[in-house]
Amino acid sequence: MATTYLERTLGTPTNNLKCTLSMWVKRLDIGSTHDLFTCGSDNNNEFLLRLDNDDTLLCKMDSGGTEEMSRRTNRKFRDTNAWLHIVVSVDTTLSTASDRQKIYINGVQETSFSSTVNFGLNNGLFVNSAIAHYIGRRSFSNSN
């Protein structure tokens, strides 16, 4: 049976304070949730990037049930014909809190968000840690 997602468990991290995710995405339908990238153990401990059912892009990380970082775009992504190039850049070592996480869509930095929580200085990430990383599904359940 073929799976509709990719899974990779990494070894010991060399640096879990920085990461860059880059992907091309084409929306097949609107009004539904599509997890693009996730890693974590459960709903309270997870990094995720998703096109949500309200057609916004959400990037967030929860640790121990606390929202460590969150960005939800005001912009809606409803064009099922267009490809999107999405880049998420995280560097929790930067001194300015708003610079620690950035989202780019088709080469332009996204600056309008309906929710914003900034990473703390030197906040560790689940990305690049020795846990399963997924493209195309939720990290702790085969959904979205």
Side-chain angles (χ1 to χ4, degrees):
M1 177 178 174
T3 58
T4 58
Y5 61 89
L6 297 174
E7 175 184 359
R8 170 80 180 191
T9 300
L10 304 175
T12 304
T14 55
N15 186 338
N16 73 336
L17 302 177
K18 303 176 183 184
C19 75
T20 301
L21 305 172
S22 176
M23 64 188 67
W24 285 93
V25 176
K26 186 174 184 182
R27 194 107 201 238
L28 297 177
D29 60 349
I30 59 174
S32 56
T33 300
H34 300 282
D35 287 324
L36 306 174
F37 175 86
T38 63
C39 59
S41 59
D42 58 44
N43 199 38
N44 293 316
N45 298 284
E46 179 180 47
F47 182 100
L48 69 81
L49 178 64
R50 78 163 35 138
L51 285 164
D52 223 340
N53 59 7
D54 64 356
D55 301 322
T56 61
L57 183 71
L58 171 66
C59 184
K60 68 181 271 186
M61 188 177 107
D62 295 329
S63 180
T66 300
E67 192 172 58
E68 301 287 337
M69 182 275 293
S70 178
R71 293 279 190 281
R72 180 182 295 276
T73 63
N74 278 316
R75 183 160 52 138
K76 309 274 186 188
F77 299 93
R78 294 185 172 137
D79 188 346
T80 56
N81 293 312
W83 283 92
L84 298 172
H85 182 225
I86 300 170
V87 175
V88 175
S89 175
V90 178
D91 184 346
T92 66
T93 67
L94 297 175
S95 59
T96 303
S98 61
D99 288 343
R100 294 180 192 142
Q101 54 285 309
K102 295 179 182 176
I103 298 174
Y104 299 87
I105 308 292
N106 296 332
V108 178
Q109 185 176 350
E110 201 70 21
T111 58
S112 180
F113 301 100
S114 63
S115 67
T116 301
V117 175
N118 294 315
F119 271 119
L121 184 63
N122 295 317
N123 199 132
L125 305 170
F126 294 123
V127 180
N128 294 335
S129 296
I131 58 174
H133 292 55
Y134 295 93
I135 296 174
R137 77 164 247 195
R138 194 80 189 257
S139 58
F140 56 90
S141 68
N142 191 11
S143 64
N144 301 335

